Amino acid sequence: FWSLGLPSFRIADAANVTTFSDTLSTSEPSVAANHTITFSTPTGVANTETITIDFTDGPFVDGSVDYTDIDVSIEGTGDITLEATCTTQDASAAFSGDILTITLCAAGGQSIGAGGTTTIEIGTNATSELTGDQQMTNPTAGSHEITVSAGSGPDTGTTQVAIVPTVNV
C-alpha cells in the first residue's frame, strides 16, 4: 500500500467589482472636477492591502491633489482617517503619476468585507477630516476609462466617463 503526500494548492481567483461608477461634478474638457467613485468588491480588501484607481486614460491630471483632498467611506464603517503614508491612521492615500493608491494601514485595522461597498471622493467634495481644496483636471473631449483594482485577488473593474464640451441650448 503506497501513499504519496502532495501539497494542496489554492488558486486565488480574482473577481470583477460590481456597481463601479465615477460621477464627475463637471464633464467639461480641461476643467477641474470632483470625482465620486463607488464600487463593491466581491472578495473584499484585507487590512494592509491596497486599492488602486488608474486615471491614465486621457489622462486626467491630479495636479496637487493629496490625501487631504480625498475621503474614503466603507459601508458599515463610515469615513476612515487618511494620511500620506501609513503610520497611525486607518489608511494612506497618494498619487503616483495618474494612479491613486489607497492602502489600508495595519495600525488602523480597517478592512472591507466581501461584497462591501466603498465610496471615494476626490476634490472639494471631500469634507470628512478636512475640506479638500484641490481637484483633478479633466482630459480632452471623449470617452475615457478609469480602472479600479482592490485587494490581493485583485478584484478589478473598469468604468467610462464621457468628457464633453459645454452645450448651450
Side-chain angles (χ1 to χ4, degrees):
F1 189 72
W2 286 81
S3 175
L4 181 59
L6 295 174
S8 63
F9 294 97
R10 182 173 186 270
I11 298 173
D13 292 322
N16 289 330
V17 297
T18 57
T19 64
F20 180 30
S21 65
D22 183 0
T23 304
L24 303 174
S25 61
T26 180
S27 61
E28 192 173 346
S30 304
V31 171
N34 292 327
H35 291 252
T36 302
I37 298 164
T38 303
F39 64 91
S40 295
T41 173
T43 307
V45 181
N47 185 253
T48 71
E49 292 183 341
T50 62
I51 299 166
T52 59
I53 303 173
D54 186 339
F55 293 97
T56 56
D57 185 28
F60 290 81
V61 178
D62 61 270
S64 298
V65 172
D66 64 12
Y67 76 96
T68 65
D69 306 302
I70 299 168
D71 282 347
V72 177
S73 180
I74 300 171
E75 179 182 37
T77 300
D79 290 327
I80 63 173
T81 58
L82 298 177
E83 58 191 336
T85 58
C86 281
T87 54
T88 62
Q89 301 301 319
D90 293 329
S92 67
F95 274 93
S96 178
D98 296 315
I99 298 175
L100 171 62
T101 300
I102 297 167
T103 303
L104 300 180
C105 303
Q110 292 296 327
S111 63
I112 301 168
T117 299
T118 302
T119 301
I120 300 167
E121 296 173 319
I122 304 170
T124 57
N125 58 338
T127 59
S128 174
E129 292 178 81
L130 301 169
T131 299
D133 61 358
Q134 300 295 314
Q135 297 172 302
M136 295 178 66
T137 302
N138 290 337
T140 58
S143 179
H144 302 281
E145 286 187 350
I146 298 170
T147 303
V148 66
S149 177
S152 64
D155 293 346
T156 60
T158 301
T159 191
Q160 292 192 342
V161 294
I163 304 300
V164 295
T166 302
V167 177
N168 293 325
V169 178

